[in-house]
Amino acid sequence: MANITKKVSWTSRGDDAGGGEGTPLLNGSEEVRYTRQLSGVGGMFHIGRLSTVDLEEDVTSDEEARPTKSQRYGSVSTYPGSLQDSPKGRPEEIPHNEKLLSLKFESLDYDSSENQLFLEEERRMSYLGFRCLEISRWVICGLIGFLTGLIACCIDIAVEKLAGVKYFVVKQNIEKFTEVGGLSISLILWAVLNSSLVMVGAITVAFIEPIAAGSGIPQIKCYLNGVKIPRVVRLKTLVVKVFGVICSVAGGLAVGKEGPMIHSGAVVAAGVSQGRSTSLKKDFKIFEYFRRDTEKRDFVSAGAAAGVSAAFGAPVGGVLFSLEEGASFWNQMLTWRIFFASMISTFTLNFFLSIYNNKPGDLSSPGLINFGRFESDSVAYNFYEIPLFIVMGAIGGLLGALFNKLNYWLTIFRIRYVHRPCLQVMEAMLVAAVTATVSFSMIYFSNDCQPLGPDQSEDYQLQLFCADGEYNSMATTFFNTPERSVRSLFHNPPGSYNPGTLGMFTVTYFFLACWTYGLAVSAGVFIPSLLIGAAWGRLFGILLPTVTASGSIWADPGKYALIGAAAQLGGIVRMTLSLTVIMVEATGNVTYGLPIMLVLMTAKIVGDYFVEGLYDIHIKLQSVPFLHWEAPATSHWLTAREVMGAPVICFNRLEKVGTIVDILSNTSTNHNGFPVVVPVAASDEPGKICGLILRSQLIVLLKHKVFVELARSRLTQRKLQLKDFRDAYPRFPPIQSIHVSQDERDCMMDLSEFMNPTPYTVPQETSLPRVFKLFRALGLRHLVVVDHDNRVVGLVTRKDLARYHLGKHGLEELQLAQT
């Protein structure tokens, strides 16, 4: 492979690869960049067009200590001035390409920096101290579970009260105007109530905290994968999330409140484990040892599990969700602690709901959604039904793939055209009004009247044009909260719905749910997916006797509603292990473990053939550098030399303060990790690696003015401790806020005590899969590449590895962009 020296500037037009000034090394020597000719090699590379438009106002870059790949490769198209060319500084259309990786996302550092300060603290700590830390971890997990359960309880009660008032008012109005005519007034009332509630929720999300939109599961997946998503685990995000989900569910949108519970649990965990609130500027001086990425990510995975547990009453499902979808790193003790948090979460929700329902101590409502118990004798299945269940899984996979593809196109449209907060609020209100209108129209034109049985559980039954003693069956599905609708589809006796009702409901709710997911409201996709699947599953069960000309064997369509719900949800989100356990725990019957597992596996296999899961699609659309479990299958021919960033900006053990300040202040190279080297005799050769130091550590050192000359002149100066670094975590001050005088610029800084003296390194001939495995398994942020003399030749970061993925034409390479 040819090494070509080429300088490329970000601001060059078209494919102009010349004229850009590269970042010089500290010794002033010219930069050398490795590029490679992509022709004649086993994989095909497709370079996406590069847009330099910011999709968000505040952007933080995680360009590590190396030039961008776009500087190393010549085939880059940029659009200079695209923001300035439009009125009011924003384009009418934001160009977007999912074949990009965003530079605004930083990495989390799961690998602890074992510098002298850290080792001294660990050595001073006694066995009892370590036992106390372990007890603290259990206490924190208990607190996480308790607070998550409490939040779930508040959401549940608030939604029930608001929805109850809304449906009562609309029902009274409909019954009044059914007699005298003028039902259009009832429709307007319903649409206005929906739009008003959704408007309040959308305004809080769009104008106060946009990261609180959606379910939050893609963001938490990214966080646990090692990507620092800005503002994702802040207190303000939690408040907006909870308030927004109450408004959107009560506002009648085709959404659920279960997905946002996972995000809420993660935010609670991130806050509680730090023993302080940076938003409220309140420090409780507890749990200070856990103020680092390593510990925080473990607790966030416990919070996500507690959220699943509170949502579905499925503590084991919560643990498996964190394992399958979230946590990159796992051990036995972490499993136990997460399970403990999940159990506490379920118990807390159960306990407080029992008090609210005036049945203190009756712990029969373990989750926000209770599917009701499926009795084994009434819904038993036979061996010859298993092929039918697999067919339903394939249908769920196909419908899920269609749902995801439609939502993908819709999200692209939203990114390009609906990027202003006011437009996002208007779209949410439009969807709320359309949902109410469609629901009303379906109920109005439906003539599916069913007799009102003594065991009917629906609270908001509408008689409408039905005879006395009957109710409108379509109203049971639309004129209700989605959770109640799912339960009625599972448990209502045979004959409660006619096929036409279920068919029309499935089609309309499918498109409504697809349109709703991605709005600027806090909302989940779990319950809409279950509801769509339960509807077509029940329809499948009703139609079976007509196909087989046998009425007795397929007596209860409720079990087909359950299988259909699992198939649809699996087809959309593509979870297998955790979803099987969640469904089994939520139904309270392990009998369906095998059919649900088969259905979910079939749905995933069929769906993956066409398109990725919904969460993976949204992660890709946000251009997040997400690392999957394994490196791409055809990437063995690539080595660390080809994927690394080079040359690397390095520091000497004893470095001039002015040099450090200049490099940290350089906005074009906003690096976060710097190898520390021992210079070799020949000045133009790279130095030998002796450590690695982070930007955040250098900023703390500059803030406290830890300079060699000052240490000599002030013998009484307090020695910097690890506590000083923990107090600054996680919002380290920007370099611009630190004043360094001209005299201080000439001082020297000794990095020996603060750098990590044992960073992970790989030889430059190491294959990409091996580099990937080391980086992913250890949760690294920087991986130094060295030659045979241990000299620094490059640095591998998350974005260097996330660039490569398998596409339709073999191995594809993504471009980097400031999106």
Side-chain angles (χ1 to χ4, degrees):
M1 302 224 175
N3 292 334
I4 305 163
T5 304
K6 189 177 286 187
K7 291 186 178 180
V8 184
S9 165
W10 267 108
T11 54
S12 57
R13 286 192 181 272
D15 292 327
D16 179 17
E21 286 298 317
T23 308
L25 288 170
L26 292 183
N27 54 20
S29 61
E30 184 181 331
E31 253 183 314
V32 179
R33 295 185 179 89
Y34 297 111
T35 62
R36 61 184 177 280
Q37 295 174 335
L38 301 179
S39 56
V41 190
M44 283 182 65
F45 285 79
H46 294 262
I47 307 298
R49 297 174 72 202
L50 179 66
S51 160
T52 56
V53 183
D54 290 348
L55 294 188
E56 287 191 28
E57 294 296 333
D58 51 337
V59 169
T60 57
S61 170
D62 185 34
E63 265 302 81
E64 318 295 352
R66 80 278 188 270
T68 62
K69 290 277 184 173
S70 53
Q71 290 173 310
R72 292 201 282 136
Y73 295 87
S75 51
V76 177
S77 301
T78 62
Y79 301 95
S82 54
L83 278 177
Q84 291 80 4
D85 294 341
S86 63
K88 297 184 182 178
R90 271 196 179 273
E92 288 304 310
E93 174 189 339
I94 288 187
H96 183 79
N97 190 330
E98 66 278 8
K99 298 284 185 183
L100 297 172
L101 278 187
S102 177
L103 297 175
K104 73 180 177 185
F105 296 111
E106 293 186 15
S107 296
L108 295 166
D109 209 341
Y110 201 72
D111 178 46
S112 296
S113 177
E114 291 194 349
N115 55 21
Q116 285 183 31
L117 295 182
F118 177 81
L119 293 174
E120 284 170 13
E121 183 186 83
E122 294 290 303
R123 286 164 187 158
R124 279 198 306 268
M125 198 176 293
S126 64
Y127 174 75
L128 187 63
F130 282 111
R131 296 298 297 168
C132 289
L133 279 178
E134 191 59 33
I135 292 167
S136 299
R137 289 190 179 97
W138 285 90
V139 170
I140 290 170
C141 285
L143 280 171
I144 289 167
F146 177 76
L147 292 173
T148 305
L150 210 55
I151 288 169
C153 185
C154 294
I155 291 175
D156 195 41
I157 292 169
V159 167
E160 194 175 308
K161 289 290 184 189
L162 271 175
V165 169
K166 185 188 79 171
Y167 287 128
F168 178 76
V169 169
V170 176
K171 183 181 176 184
Q172 295 287 90
N173 199 276
I174 288 175
E175 287 174 351
K176 174 184 169 186
F177 285 107
T178 305
E179 303 290 334
V180 298
L183 274 171
S184 55
I185 296 170
S186 302
L187 167 60
I188 293 167
L189 174 69
W190 193 357
V192 166
L193 283 173
N194 272 13
S195 298
S196 304
L197 283 166
V198 170
M199 179 185 73
V200 175
I203 286 172
T204 55
V205 170
F207 286 95
I208 298 175
E209 195 52 272
I211 197 74
S215 66
I217 294 175
Q219 287 86 349
I220 296 304
K221 275 187 71 171
C222 292
Y223 186 90
L224 294 176
N225 188 260
V227 183
K228 186 179 181 182
I229 308 290
R231 308 183 310 282
V232 75
V233 287
R234 289 199 187 167
L235 179 64
K236 187 166 76 168
T237 307
L238 175 65
V239 173
V240 172
K241 194 90 183 179
V242 170
F243 183 74
V245 78
I246 290 169
C247 292
S248 55
V249 176
L253 289 176
V255 297
K257 53 185 183 284
E258 282 67 25
M261 273 312 306
I262 296 163
H263 189 179
S264 302
V267 180
V268 167
V272 169
S273 64
Q274 302 303 292
R276 67 174 174 191
S277 169
T278 45
S279 300
L280 300 177
K281 295 182 172 57
K282 180 72 176 171
D283 193 340
F284 298 100
K285 305 293 182 185
I286 54 172
F287 308 140
E288 292 180 345
Y289 183 83
F290 305 126
R291 291 176 187 176
R292 50 189 167 137
D293 289 341
T294 314
E295 299 285 351
K296 194 173 178 180
R297 275 172 75 183
D298 284 348
F299 289 122
V300 167
S301 60
V308 174
S309 180
F312 296 98
V316 179
V319 175
L320 293 176
F321 173 84
S322 268
L323 175 60
E324 183 181 5
E325 288 292 309
S328 309
F329 315 97
W330 209 257
N331 61 51
Q332 189 181 17
M333 287 309 295
L334 183 62
T335 312
W336 268 111
R337 286 200 300 270
I338 290 178
F339 184 59
F340 176 66
S342 298
M343 288 298 293
I344 294 291
S345 175
T346 300
F347 176 79
T348 304
L349 175 67
N350 226 333
F351 178 72
F352 283 103
L353 281 183
S354 71
I355 294 172
Y356 171 71
N357 294 324
N358 295 319
K359 299 176 185 174
D362 176 22
L363 306 179
S364 58
S365 310
L368 288 183
I369 179 164
N370 185 4
F371 293 151
R373 290 194 88 75
F374 281 80
E375 298 302 331
S376 300
D377 51 348
S378 63
V379 286
Y381 67 94
N382 292 296
F383 182 76
Y384 48 80
E385 288 180 82
I386 289 178
L388 290 173
F389 295 154
I390 292 174
V391 169
M392 290 180 76
I395 295 170
L398 289 169
L399 288 175
L402 176 63
F403 185 100
N404 292 358
K405 200 65 182 174
L406 290 173
N407 192 263
Y408 164 78
W409 288 329
L410 189 60
T411 307
I412 290 281
F413 177 83
R414 283 182 176 131
I415 288 171
R416 287 178 174 166
Y417 301 106
V418 193
H419 47 265
R420 290 193 183 91
C422 53
L423 290 176
Q424 292 171 341
V425 173
M426 287 166 64
E427 188 197 11
M429 291 174 66
L430 174 66
V431 174
V434 169
T435 304
T437 307
V438 169
S439 305
F440 189 88
S441 305
M442 297 283 285
I443 294 169
Y444 184 82
F445 291 112
S446 169
N447 56 1
D448 183 8
C449 294
Q450 301 291 340
L452 194 57
D455 59 342
Q456 297 292 334
S457 61
E458 290 75 39
D459 292 347
Y460 315 112
Q461 288 154 345
L462 277 177
Q463 182 178 348
L464 217 61
F465 300 118
C466 296
D468 289 340
E470 293 185 332
Y471 69 98
N472 188 302
S473 178
M474 184 68 89
T476 308
T477 45
F478 270 121
F479 200 68
N480 227 327
T481 56
E483 287 87 352
R484 291 178 187 273
S485 301
V486 170
R487 202 154 56 241
S488 64
L489 283 165
F490 283 171
H491 294 293
N492 277 11
S496 300
Y497 302 90
N498 72 34
T501 301
L502 290 172
M504 288 192 61
F505 174 79
T506 302
V507 172
T508 52
Y509 208 80
F510 182 91
F511 289 108
L512 283 175
C514 188
W515 189 13
T516 306
Y517 190 77
L519 288 176
V521 293
S522 301
V525 77
F526 273 90
I527 297 303
S529 308
L530 289 171
L531 189 49
I532 295 162
W536 68 254
R538 193 173 180 102
L539 176 64
F540 189 90
I542 292 170
L543 294 179
L544 270 177
T546 60
V547 174
T548 58
S550 167
S552 58
I553 299 174
W554 329 100
D556 196 329
K559 63 180 171 185
Y560 289 96
L562 173 66
I563 298 297
Q568 186 64 57
L569 183 53
I572 290 174
V573 300
R574 309 288 161 75
M575 288 152 51
T576 50
L577 179 66
S578 54
L579 204 51
T580 304
V581 177
I582 287 169
M583 295 293 285
V584 167
E585 286 186 280
T587 53
N589 194 330
V590 77
T591 312
Y592 281 100
L594 177 65
I596 289 172
M597 185 185 75
L598 289 172
V599 160
L600 289 172
M601 285 173 63
T602 310
K604 179 174 170 58
I605 291 165
V606 172
D608 281 345
Y609 181 78
F610 296 101
V611 68
E612 290 176 300
L614 189 64
Y615 299 142
D616 293 323
I617 287 172
H618 280 261
I619 287 171
K620 190 172 282 187
L621 286 173
Q622 290 171 28
S623 303
V624 177
F626 188 88
L627 293 182
H628 294 280
W629 288 105
E630 300 286 344
T634 59
S635 60
H636 278 85
W637 57 274
L638 285 169
T639 64
R641 183 187 180 91
E642 274 96 51
V643 300
M644 70 185 185
V648 184
I649 295 175
C650 300
F651 289 128
N652 298 316
R653 270 181 188 269
L654 205 64
E655 190 59 80
K656 196 175 176 184
V657 172
T659 306
I660 294 173
V661 171
D662 289 342
I663 288 173
L664 294 184
S665 304
N666 188 346
T667 53
S668 64
T669 54
N670 195 13
H671 308 326
N672 277 298
F674 304 91
V676 181
V677 296
V678 177
V680 291
S683 61
D684 58 337
E685 290 186 16
K688 290 190 177 183
I689 181 81
C690 67
L692 184 81
I693 194 157
L694 301 176
R695 166 182 286 264
S696 55
Q697 293 173 311
L698 290 169
I699 284 176
V700 173
L701 294 177
L702 287 170
K703 182 182 175 184
H704 290 273
K705 303 199 182 300
V706 185
F707 308 146
V708 175
E709 287 79 2
L710 292 180
R712 288 171 185 161
S713 63
R714 293 204 301 260
L715 297 175
T716 57
Q717 185 185 25
R718 182 178 71 86
K719 188 182 177 185
L720 206 64
Q721 297 176 339
L722 216 53
K723 183 180 184 301
D724 297 304
F725 293 91
R726 286 176 182 151
D727 286 344
Y729 175 86
R731 301 187 200 174
F732 294 97
I735 184 65
Q736 291 78 12
S737 68
I738 294 170
H739 175 69
V740 178
S741 67
Q742 193 59 45
D743 290 339
E744 289 171 338
R745 285 179 63 86
D746 296 327
C747 292
M748 302 299 285
M749 186 184 285
D750 187 357
L751 305 178
S752 304
E753 195 178 357
F754 310 102
M755 69 182 185
N756 179 5
T758 54
Y760 289 99
T761 61
V762 290
Q764 55 188 345
E765 291 81 21
T766 313
S767 69
L768 175 61
R770 195 169 181 81
V771 172
F772 192 99
K773 193 180 296 181
L774 181 66
F775 198 95
R776 177 77 167 78
L778 296 174
L780 302 181
R781 188 175 183 180
H782 310 94
L783 184 60
V784 183
V785 183
V786 295
D787 62 10
H788 57 280
D789 290 325
N790 218 26
R791 292 189 297 242
V792 177
V793 293
L795 197 67
V796 175
T797 64
R798 168 176 291 272
K799 296 180 191 76
D800 296 317
L801 300 175
R803 296 170 59 78
Y804 301 96
H805 73 110
L806 274 180
K808 292 179 180 176
H809 306 286
L811 196 64
E812 293 182 347
E813 184 177 1
L814 307 180
Q815 265 301 0
L816 295 175
Q818 192 73 49
T819 54

PDB file of all heavy atoms in Angstrom, residues 504-515:
ATOM      1  N   MET A 504     -58.898  -2.900  10.511  1.00  0.00           N
ATOM      2  CA  MET A 504     -58.811  -1.443  10.338  1.00  0.00           C
ATOM      3  C   MET A 504     -57.969  -0.808  11.436  1.00  0.00           C
ATOM      4  O   MET A 504     -57.181   0.108  11.188  1.00  0.00           O
ATOM      5  CB  MET A 504     -60.221  -0.837  10.326  1.00  0.00           C
ATOM      6  CG  MET A 504     -60.998  -1.149   9.059  1.00  0.00           C
ATOM      7  SD  MET A 504     -62.488  -0.166   8.903  1.00  0.00           S
ATOM      8  CE  MET A 504     -61.875   1.476   8.866  1.00  0.00           C
ATOM      9  N   PHE A 505     -58.136  -1.299  12.659  1.00  0.00           N
ATOM     10  CA  PHE A 505     -57.364  -0.746  13.770  1.00  0.00           C
ATOM     11  C   PHE A 505     -55.866  -0.978  13.555  1.00  0.00           C
ATOM     12  O   PHE A 505     -55.055  -0.076  13.761  1.00  0.00           O
ATOM     13  CB  PHE A 505     -57.803  -1.389  15.099  1.00  0.00           C
ATOM     14  CG  PHE A 505     -56.953  -0.971  16.266  1.00  0.00           C
ATOM     15  CD1 PHE A 505     -57.144   0.255  16.870  1.00  0.00           C
ATOM     16  CD2 PHE A 505     -55.936  -1.795  16.736  1.00  0.00           C
ATOM     17  CE1 PHE A 505     -56.349   0.657  17.938  1.00  0.00           C
ATOM     18  CE2 PHE A 505     -55.130  -1.400  17.799  1.00  0.00           C
ATOM     19  CZ  PHE A 505     -55.350  -0.178  18.399  1.00  0.00           C
ATOM     20  N   THR A 506     -55.493  -2.184  13.122  1.00  0.00           N
ATOM     21  CA  THR A 506     -54.081  -2.514  12.898  1.00  0.00           C
ATOM     22  C   THR A 506     -53.456  -1.566  11.879  1.00  0.00           C
ATOM     23  O   THR A 506     -52.384  -1.000  12.103  1.00  0.00           O
ATOM     24  CB  THR A 506     -53.924  -3.970  12.406  1.00  0.00           C
ATOM     25  OG1 THR A 506     -54.494  -4.847  13.369  1.00  0.00           O
ATOM     26  CG2 THR A 506     -52.468  -4.330  12.199  1.00  0.00           C
ATOM     27  N   VAL A 507     -54.130  -1.374  10.757  1.00  0.00           N
ATOM     28  CA  VAL A 507     -53.579  -0.534   9.683  1.00  0.00           C
ATOM     29  C   VAL A 507     -53.433   0.914  10.144  1.00  0.00           C
ATOM     30  O   VAL A 507     -52.373   1.530   9.981  1.00  0.00           O
ATOM     31  CB  VAL A 507     -54.472  -0.620   8.424  1.00  0.00           C
ATOM     32  CG1 VAL A 507     -54.020   0.387   7.376  1.00  0.00           C
ATOM     33  CG2 VAL A 507     -54.444  -2.034   7.857  1.00  0.00           C
ATOM     34  N   THR A 508     -54.485   1.457  10.735  1.00  0.00           N
ATOM     35  CA  THR A 508     -54.436   2.879  11.133  1.00  0.00           C
ATOM     36  C   THR A 508     -53.433   3.105  12.254  1.00  0.00           C
ATOM     37  O   THR A 508     -52.637   4.042  12.196  1.00  0.00           O
ATOM     38  CB  THR A 508     -55.823   3.369  11.587  1.00  0.00           C
ATOM     39  OG1 THR A 508     -56.341   2.472  12.577  1.00  0.00           O
ATOM     40  CG2 THR A 508     -56.791   3.446  10.439  1.00  0.00           C
ATOM     41  N   TYR A 509     -53.427   2.232  13.252  1.00  0.00           N
ATOM     42  CA  TYR A 509     -52.526   2.430  14.388  1.00  0.00           C
ATOM     43  C   TYR A 509     -51.063   2.216  13.976  1.00  0.00           C
ATOM     44  O   TYR A 509     -50.161   2.859  14.519  1.00  0.00           O
ATOM     45  CB  TYR A 509     -52.896   1.487  15.536  1.00  0.00           C
ATOM     46  CG  TYR A 509     -52.523   2.040  16.898  1.00  0.00           C
ATOM     47  CD1 TYR A 509     -53.327   2.987  17.523  1.00  0.00           C
ATOM     48  CD2 TYR A 509     -51.368   1.640  17.548  1.00  0.00           C
ATOM     49  CE1 TYR A 509     -52.988   3.506  18.760  1.00  0.00           C
ATOM     50  CE2 TYR A 509     -51.016   2.152  18.789  1.00  0.00           C
ATOM     51  CZ  TYR A 509     -51.836   3.084  19.381  1.00  0.00           C
ATOM     52  OH  TYR A 509     -51.498   3.613  20.617  1.00  0.00           O
ATOM     53  N   PHE A 510     -50.840   1.348  13.006  1.00  0.00           N
ATOM     54  CA  PHE A 510     -49.484   1.111  12.488  1.00  0.00           C
ATOM     55  C   PHE A 510     -48.892   2.407  11.939  1.00  0.00           C
ATOM     56  O   PHE A 510     -47.778   2.797  12.281  1.00  0.00           O
ATOM     57  CB  PHE A 510     -49.539   0.039  11.391  1.00  0.00           C
ATOM     58  CG  PHE A 510     -48.202  -0.325  10.805  1.00  0.00           C
ATOM     59  CD1 PHE A 510     -47.448  -1.352  11.345  1.00  0.00           C
ATOM     60  CD2 PHE A 510     -47.698   0.342   9.698  1.00  0.00           C
ATOM     61  CE1 PHE A 510     -46.210  -1.698  10.808  1.00  0.00           C
ATOM     62  CE2 PHE A 510     -46.464   0.014   9.150  1.00  0.00           C
ATOM     63  CZ  PHE A 510     -45.726  -1.016   9.716  1.00  0.00           C
ATOM     64  N   PHE A 511     -49.657   3.080  11.103  1.00  0.00           N
ATOM     65  CA  PHE A 511     -49.148   4.312  10.493  1.00  0.00           C
ATOM     66  C   PHE A 511     -49.097   5.463  11.497  1.00  0.00           C
ATOM     67  O   PHE A 511     -48.179   6.293  11.445  1.00  0.00           O
ATOM     68  CB  PHE A 511     -49.995   4.683   9.269  1.00  0.00           C
ATOM     69  CG  PHE A 511     -49.770   3.761   8.107  1.00  0.00           C
ATOM     70  CD1 PHE A 511     -50.733   2.846   7.728  1.00  0.00           C
ATOM     71  CD2 PHE A 511     -48.571   3.777   7.409  1.00  0.00           C
ATOM     72  CE1 PHE A 511     -50.522   1.972   6.667  1.00  0.00           C
ATOM     73  CE2 PHE A 511     -48.338   2.911   6.345  1.00  0.00           C
ATOM     74  CZ  PHE A 511     -49.318   2.005   5.973  1.00  0.00           C
ATOM     75  N   LEU A 512     -50.057   5.504  12.423  1.00  0.00           N
ATOM     76  CA  LEU A 512     -50.021   6.544  13.461  1.00  0.00           C
ATOM     77  C   LEU A 512     -48.783   6.381  14.345  1.00  0.00           C
ATOM     78  O   LEU A 512     -48.089   7.354  14.655  1.00  0.00           O
ATOM     79  CB  LEU A 512     -51.286   6.488  14.328  1.00  0.00           C
ATOM     80  CG  LEU A 512     -52.577   7.068  13.723  1.00  0.00           C
ATOM     81  CD1 LEU A 512     -53.749   6.815  14.656  1.00  0.00           C
ATOM     82  CD2 LEU A 512     -52.422   8.564  13.455  1.00  0.00           C
ATOM     83  N   ALA A 513     -48.497   5.152  14.761  1.00  0.00           N
ATOM     84  CA  ALA A 513     -47.333   4.896  15.616  1.00  0.00           C
ATOM     85  C   ALA A 513     -46.034   5.208  14.884  1.00  0.00           C
ATOM     86  O   ALA A 513     -45.097   5.769  15.468  1.00  0.00           O
ATOM     87  CB  ALA A 513     -47.335   3.439  16.086  1.00  0.00           C
ATOM     88  N   CYS A 514     -45.999   4.869  13.610  1.00  0.00           N
ATOM     89  CA  CYS A 514     -44.800   5.133  12.802  1.00  0.00           C
ATOM     90  C   CYS A 514     -44.562   6.635  12.666  1.00  0.00           C
ATOM     91  O   CYS A 514     -43.426   7.111  12.761  1.00  0.00           O
ATOM     92  CB  CYS A 514     -44.963   4.496  11.424  1.00  0.00           C
ATOM     93  SG  CYS A 514     -43.455   4.561  10.432  1.00  0.00           S
ATOM     94  N   TRP A 515     -45.636   7.393  12.468  1.00  0.00           N
ATOM     95  CA  TRP A 515     -45.536   8.848  12.343  1.00  0.00           C
ATOM     96  C   TRP A 515     -45.146   9.469  13.684  1.00  0.00           C
ATOM     97  O   TRP A 515     -44.411  10.455  13.741  1.00  0.00           O
ATOM     98  CB  TRP A 515     -46.884   9.399  11.858  1.00  0.00           C
ATOM     99  CG  TRP A 515     -46.859  10.854  11.494  1.00  0.00           C
ATOM    100  CD1 TRP A 515     -45.768  11.656  11.312  1.00  0.00           C
ATOM    101  CD2 TRP A 515     -48.002  11.692  11.243  1.00  0.00           C
ATOM    102  NE1 TRP A 515     -46.160  12.935  10.966  1.00  0.00           N
ATOM    103  CE2 TRP A 515     -47.522  12.980  10.917  1.00  0.00           C
ATOM    104  CE3 TRP A 515     -49.381  11.471  11.258  1.00  0.00           C
ATOM    105  CZ2 TRP A 515     -48.374  14.036  10.627  1.00  0.00           C
ATOM    106  CZ3 TRP A 515     -50.222  12.529  10.961  1.00  0.00           C
ATOM    107  CH2 TRP A 515     -49.729  13.795  10.648  1.00  0.00           C
TER     108      TRP A 515
END
